[in-house]
Amino acid sequence: MSVDLGSEWMKIAIVKPGVPMEIVLNKESRRKTPVAVCLKENERLFGDSALGSVKNPKVVYRYLQNLLGKTAENPQVAQYQKHFPEHQIQSDEKRGTVFFKNSEEMQYSPEELLGMVLNYSSGLAQDFAEQPIKDAVITIPAFFNQAERRAVLQAAQMAGLKVLQLINDNTAVALNYGVFRRKDINSTAQNVMFYDMGSGSTTATIVTYQTVKTKEAGTQPQLQIRGVGFDRTLGGFEMELRLRDYLAKIFNEQKKSKKDVRENMRAMAKLLKEAQRVKTVLSANAEHMAQIEGLMDDIDFKAKVNRAEFEALCTDLFDRVPGPVEQALAASEMSLDEIEQVILVGGATRVPRVQEVLLKAVRKEELGKNINADEAAAMGAVYQAAALSKAFKVKPFIVRDAAVFPIQVEFSRETEEEDGVKGIKHNKRILFQRMAPYPQRKVITFNRYTDDFIFHINYGDLSFLSQDDLKMFGSQNLTTVKLSGVGNSFKKHSDAESKGIKAHFNMDESGVLLLDRVSSSGSDEEEVPPEAGKDQDEAVEKPEESAPEKPETEEKSQGKNSKAESQTEEKKPDKEGTDKDEPQVRRLRMNIY
């Protein structure tokens, strides 16, 4: 199964023997289900049933994606609290994240609530397929950092799902687009931009399609993510909130009640639901009547809203539409002239003003509307699920995703100058550059360390993010690795010549960084030292193993680059990460805190 996990909706697709890829219908026979959970005293409700509980918004939890892996200080937590004042959000001191505290003194973390939603989605898939399904590919926003990715994996684990892969939703869309245009892809690179404005966020992605030669499967089509730009808070939901507040203002001005409707949470929940409906209708009509029976104190509400009024409420939001496009072009180092077409994805791109501003920004004659804006990600993700599963044979389509945020290793060492003065030298080594392809393995060799030491894994240069984005991003430190056993190992093997301590890193298919192992290798291991004259003290970084489906042409060029940068030799990757080819490897204990 695949779950396209949006901030407002989720779409589920399955593939089973004899049945091609298919969208799962929910209990209401709808093709999409709200990401919502309602926790009443003795029952849990999901999807449309959960949203039906507007009588008590305190027990309905939605838009959980914005809180995953966040600390209480994160601006997105404050923004969530402003949007949903009915919820009590507190800081979890132990984990450093947040949780919901409800009236019955129960606590739920966003990950737990998302786990419940994912468990429900697997139940829907199971009912539809008429057999148990536990293997899933889940879509996430491309801008999710390591903490957010791990939070989704944790939620899936709670739901009892086996995650084959977390796939960036823009990559899933690009795969869906490519699979159905396989015949049009040839050796000439074609660049396409997908502009995805959903309910909670907006992402622009530049993708290159072309055929490449592979050792295993001959010539195959490939998609490569070249540039990503995003706005974490620009989406349809923000427009709906503006319209809700506008409708509340009109109701107050009608003076049918002495009370302020904005202080009644139940009435505001009803107004939000009506604002969502009116926004959708205004995309096709110039004006529409908003109406709610018994909005508050049995008073009915009726008001005419036209498109010009709606657009005036969201002027500053429309001004932000070109931002992700500019970021994506900067990240890919490409110009608009190199982009053949711009394709719309996501429900909020149906707003006419969004299309007008975007068309002007991308300087094209028209915008592409030739994919299903709602279901492309779910269908691309389920194709990937079938490809990863051993039960199905699908035509190969090489996917080369890219890391949006750079990651580096930092370490310090005591140095002694010629005059005997001691100092501390701080070193940084880029592990994965911005837009580095993954999955990929890297090795960093620490030279001249003969005793226990620590190194830090942090994000690299994030200066391409705005100040607001940096605050929402959260901590720039990933982890500190403390290596113990180094000194003992060197004492025991004092006769062996040391070629440094190697840290083996892996960014897996889900874009999650793992430190596989650390080894200290003896002289039997073949490796070229750093270039002459280079500080022997510094760590040397090199790729260990690149994406398994990497085309031959890329492999050659990658090899050249690595040699030029660090003068190290490509070594054949270990089988499944074992140490068979390293007779003198001593494994070191790792304490990661």
Side-chain angles (χ1 to χ4, degrees), residues 408-411 428-431 442-447 455 500-505 518-519 527 538-542:
Q408 64 190 21
V409 170
E410 298 181 34
F411 54 99
K428 288 180 185 178
R429 282 288 164 274
I430 301 290
L431 197 56
K442 288 280 186 84
V443 181
I444 279 195
T445 303
F446 295 95
N447 296 316
F455 62 89
I501 290 152
K502 293 169 180 278
H504 299 253
F505 295 90
V518 179
S519 56
E527 183 168 339
E538 296 184 1
V540 179
E541 166 255 314
K542 63 169 187 167

Side-chain angles (χ1 to χ4, degrees), residues 46-89:
F46 295 93
D48 291 299
S49 306
L51 291 188
S53 301
V54 277
K55 287 179 182 171
N56 191 0
K58 278 185 182 177
V59 295
V60 181
Y61 302 91
R62 28 195 319 223
Y63 289 90
L64 302 165
Q65 212 185 58
N66 297 350
L67 297 177
L68 295 175
K70 302 280 192 301
T71 61
E73 297 76 47
N74 194 299
Q76 279 199 287
V77 175
Q79 192 180 37
Y80 188 95
Q81 191 77 77
K82 186 183 155 199
H83 291 161
F84 301 102
E86 63 269 24
H87 292 313
Q88 203 181 338
I89 300 175

